[in-house]
Amino acid sequence: MVSTEPTEPTDFCYCDERFADIQMLRYRLNGFSQLTASQKALVYYLSEATLWGRDITFDQFGQFNLRIRKVLEVVYTTAAIDHDTDEFRNLETYLKRVWFSNGIYHHYGCEKFQPMFTRAFFIEAVKASDRSLLPIVTGMTVDELIEELVPVIFDPEVLPKRVNKAEGQDLILTSACNYYEGVTQEEVEQFYDSKKRNAGSHAPSFGLNSRLVKEKGEIKEQVWCLNGLYGEYIGHIIYWLEKASTVAENESQRSVIEKLIEYYKTGDLRLFDDYSIAWVGSVDGRVDFINGFIEVYGDPLGLKASWEGIVEYKDLEATKRTQTISDNAQWFEDHSPVDVRFRKPHVKGITANVICAAMLGGDEFPSTAIGINLPNADWIRAEYGSKSVTIGNLTEAYNRAAKGNGFKEEFVIDRQTLELIDRYGDVCDELHTDLHECLGHGSGQLLPGVDPDALKAYGNTIEEARADLFGLYYIADKKLVELGLTPDREAYKAQYYSYIMNGLMTQLTRITPGNKIEEAHMRNRSLIAHWCYDNGNAIEMIKRNGKTYVRINDYEGLRSLFARLLAEIQRIKSEGDYESARLLVEKYAVNVDPALHNEVLERYRRLNLAPYKGFINPVLTPVYDISGQITDVTVDYSEGYAEQMLRYSRDYSIGIR
């Protein structure tokens, strides 16, 4: 059946509402109408499985998140108070930030939001709401609920950071993420070190899918699985995955889904590895997905994974670009500027696609990545390869939203450089993402016996720097011109300038004055830019009319610096050199120049732009025939942000108490 509703409107509007420091965007499902009815049904079933993980992520990001969200939603929808006041509008903004960040902590900086409404107003508003809808456990009064939540929301000293990576502190005791209870950093490290001992080269990712707690003096894991923590949510995820398996495009894809279901039922991490291997090998379908406990950025020790989900389908035309890269993966590995001991002699299973996201969930929603490379287990990468995606329709949305906003004109040093970026910037941004995900993360190897978690709290930053440097080094290579990936030998300069400007200056728009850099990707960019600035004359910071600008004096020299740093970063990773990782990160990646920071913030403020952007999902609605089979799926882009968040809380939530 052909859809009667237009799924690719020509008048599509990418930008939606704005609040706090956030601009909401919409993404378009390009080419969705060209999918078969069975492929659309597969996308729909996988999307339902994706949406059922939302509350898991909320709970992982803080033990009070779900209750606070529920209370705020009840106030927002039922409170018998005047809504036309600054207090109520500030509460609405706070709630929208909670939705956006999957909790009460900033999605990037991890610091707790400070509400712009008063305690007195909050208490009054809760008491004026429908009490039957409030998340009150048996025997608890409304006053007791308020007493429990008020310090968490309002006291800046109570659970102040979701993820703390400050050197010299107990990162477990000082982080509010809900992965641990009653244990110290030393106890966590000892617990998992003992598991890794004698586990062999194919050891699973210990700790990935569990909460570590101390009960009556005994440390134990509470596993996230069907009969464990989050079991009710996982049950719904399994239900929709089982539906998806009935319309799989081929037996390989069906096997992947079934292996994921078996893992969810048991929580056995070796089954997760079996699923990951099968997923890497399943490459023939048009539709694909990520669903599970995947990335470890939300754990200060990089062990435990947040839940995330993405449903996607290939952009067949754009994928020709990434396939060219993956087809030449061995050439890139062989010519890498790193020590030959750290190169892979035989690159295996590199698959790269440009995809359209069809649904985002968990830790990938509303703020999401634009490129992904999985699986994360080093031994699986080495023996079976990896799959990379560049999410083309999200990149398209970001680029469309940025056109003409004045940002480049304010911060780029001169007209010549601005014209360079205008001409080559978009293509180089996409290509750098491709190189980062497809080759960067998939490159290199650990020396025998090196623990993949040896770099501990610095591991995520070092890994992101490694992948970025790989992309930066190769985007300037003549090989890319020969392959038709860049138009000429000048194009790479647009990426070099934009990257260094961001790492040295403009990413500071995302940092609160007085704070240090915490997020791994931001630390990585800061590390690269500041190390290169400090180790040669290729980069200069100059003042013009009271404004600071980046000037690149020697682009080839900058590439040489990228090569030197990549060689050192790869050595640190391959040898598990924790101390060198610590020194690099603490010297170049963390600290902020307060004078430059204030200047950048003021210049950015005058542009009236939001430093963060996220997405509203489209609404997918199945069309059934008389026998109950899905014959089509319609796409609606009109749902508002608050409308969507409230619907998700209603339809994909289990009673929060």
Side-chain angles (χ1 to χ4, degrees), residues 159 164 169-176 180 182-185 187 300:
L159 303 173
N164 178 39
Q169 299 183 18
D170 187 309
L171 304 185
I172 299 301
L173 294 180
T174 57
S175 295
Y180 305 96
V183 291
T184 65
Q185 180 177 343
E187 288 173 325

Side-chain angles (χ1 to χ4, degrees), residues 147-405:
E147 185 178 351
E148 177 184 59
L149 297 184
V150 160
V152 179
I153 295 172
F154 291 94
D155 190 335
E157 302 300 319
V158 174
L159 303 173
K161 295 205 70 173
R162 176 166 66 87
V163 182
N164 178 39
K165 294 187 177 181
E167 186 181 22
Q169 299 183 18
D170 187 309
L171 304 185
I172 299 301
L173 294 180
T174 57
S175 295
C177 55
N178 198 20
Y179 296 129
Y180 305 96
E181 183 177 349
V183 291
T184 65
Q185 180 177 343
E186 182 180 8
E187 288 173 325
V188 173
E189 291 173 346
Q190 289 177 351
F191 182 87
Y192 288 111
D193 284 346
S194 68
K195 282 184 170 290
K196 293 174 186 176
R197 205 170 295 127
N198 303 319
S201 60
H202 291 180
S205 301
F206 290 117
L208 190 74
N209 66 336
S210 66
R211 188 166 181 259
L212 194 67
V213 301
K214 184 187 286 186
E215 296 178 350
K216 298 180 180 179
E218 180 183 358
I219 298 177
K220 60 178 66 175
E221 289 184 298
Q222 298 174 336
V223 178
W224 306 323
C225 62
L226 182 60
N227 295 315
L229 285 185
Y230 306 132
E232 290 184 272
Y233 289 97
I234 290 171
H236 284 281
I237 294 171
I238 289 173
Y239 172 84
W240 289 105
L241 289 175
E242 289 174 340
K243 289 274 195 182
S245 71
T246 67
V247 291
E249 296 176 87
N250 50 59
E251 285 304 314
S252 173
Q253 193 179 71
R254 181 174 290 107
S255 176
V256 168
I257 295 171
E258 290 172 351
K259 287 180 184 294
L260 178 58
I261 290 170
E262 188 61 26
Y263 158 65
Y264 269 137
K265 287 180 177 179
T266 64
D268 185 341
L269 284 170
R270 294 192 185 276
L271 292 179
F272 178 69
D273 287 344
D274 291 343
Y275 153 74
S276 298
I277 293 168
W279 179 79
V280 165
S282 178
V283 298
D284 293 332
R286 178 87 184 268
V287 177
D288 206 351
F289 70 101
I290 296 166
N291 185 296
F293 305 103
I294 308 293
E295 300 290 1
V296 296
Y297 298 105
D299 176 359
L301 297 185
L303 296 171
K304 303 195 173 296
S306 58
W307 192 94
E308 67 179 52
I310 296 180
V311 186
E312 64 199 52
Y313 56 94
K314 291 178 188 174
D315 181 330
L316 298 179
E317 183 61 32
T319 289
K320 294 176 183 178
R321 180 184 78 231
T322 53
Q323 286 179 340
T324 298
I325 293 172
S326 59
D327 288 346
N328 289 273
Q330 190 66 59
W331 184 92
F332 287 102
E333 185 77 1
D334 292 344
H335 291 80
S336 172
V338 307
D339 191 304
V340 67
R341 295 176 301 147
F342 309 141
R343 299 180 198 158
K344 287 179 178 175
H346 304 289
V347 177
K348 299 178 182 179
I350 298 293
T351 303
N353 296 303
V354 178
I355 58 98
C356 283
M359 191 61 63
L360 308 171
D363 198 10
E364 290 292 343
F365 176 74
S367 176
T368 188
I370 58 172
I372 298 172
N373 177 272
L374 292 172
N376 288 325
D378 284 286
W379 71 267
I380 296 179
R381 289 176 183 273
E383 296 187 21
Y384 298 93
S386 63
K387 281 203 296 196
S388 303
V389 297
T390 300
I391 311 178
N393 59 336
L394 300 189
T395 301
E396 174 190 47
Y398 281 126
N399 290 342
R400 293 291 186 91
K403 294 296 183 185
N405 64 12

Side-chain angles (χ1 to χ4, degrees), residues 488-545:
D488 54 50
R489 292 299 307 277
E490 292 293 301
Y492 79 94
K493 295 178 181 179
Q495 184 66 22
Y496 276 24
Y497 189 89
S498 296
Y499 191 95
I500 294 298
M501 181 180 73
N502 188 34
L504 290 178
M505 288 181 56
T506 54
Q507 73 170 2
L508 295 178
T509 60
R510 296 182 165 193
I511 301 293
T512 301
N515 287 358
K516 295 187 175 184
I517 301 173
E518 295 279 355
E519 199 275 335
H521 297 81
M522 292 183 70
R523 281 187 167 192
N524 136 53
R525 293 188 288 265
S526 178
L527 188 162
I528 292 171
H530 285 95
W531 186 92
C532 290
Y533 178 72
D534 204 32
N535 283 272
N537 299 314
I539 304 167
E540 190 177 0
M541 301 279 279
I542 68 168
K543 283 273 193 179
R544 286 182 180 169
N545 300 320

